[in-house]
């Protein structure tokens, strides 16, 4: 689960698709050539975001993580059709 105190390094390692989301919010990280460290909350505050914004980021990132995990699970499932005998 993603929380405001998650380290950016851990966030992008565990949830690599979060990089794009962060970039869309103006929070640059690793992939864009401006590596940042610290927590998600610290990075957001450095860009002028407040408590409500940070809560929204956490919520949206958790939704993104949930949908990504569901997609990955679906990819791993194998469909077996019965043989016509």
């Amino acid at each position: 689960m993603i929380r405001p105190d998650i380290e950016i390094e851990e966030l992008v390692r565990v949830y690599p698709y979060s990089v794009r989301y962060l970039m869309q919010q103006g929070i640059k990280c690793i992939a864009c050539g401006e590596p940042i460290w610290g927590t998600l909350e610290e990075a957001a505050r450095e860009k002028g975001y407040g408590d409500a914004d940070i809560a929204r980021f956490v919520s949206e990132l958790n939704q993104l993580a949930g949908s990504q995990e569901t997609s990955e699970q679906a990819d791993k499932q194998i469909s077996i059709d019965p043989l016509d005998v």
Side-chain angles (χ1 to χ4, degrees), residues 21 25 44 48-60:
Y21 176 87
Q25 304 307 318
Y49 289 110
D51 292 340
D53 299 310
I54 294 166
R56 179 175 52 85
F57 293 165
V58 170
S59 175
E60 290 176 355

Side-chain angles (χ1 to χ4, degrees), residues 18-83:
S18 67
V19 172
R20 182 180 194 147
Y21 176 87
L22 293 173
M23 289 174 49
Q24 290 171 339
Q25 304 307 318
I27 302 172
K28 295 177 173 62
C29 57
I30 297 169
C32 57
E34 183 184 330
I36 61 170
W37 311 111
T39 67
L40 174 59
E41 181 176 16
E42 291 167 344
R45 290 199 188 282
E46 285 177 11
K47 296 298 182 180
Y49 289 110
D51 292 340
D53 299 310
I54 294 166
R56 179 175 52 85
F57 293 165
V58 170
S59 175
E60 290 176 355
L61 283 166
N62 277 307
Q63 289 176 2
L64 183 61
S67 67
Q68 187 69 23
E69 288 173 6
T70 300
S71 175
E72 288 173 0
Q73 288 173 354
D75 289 344
K76 291 179 182 177
Q77 292 179 353
I78 299 172
S79 289
I80 301 174
D81 294 327
L83 296 174

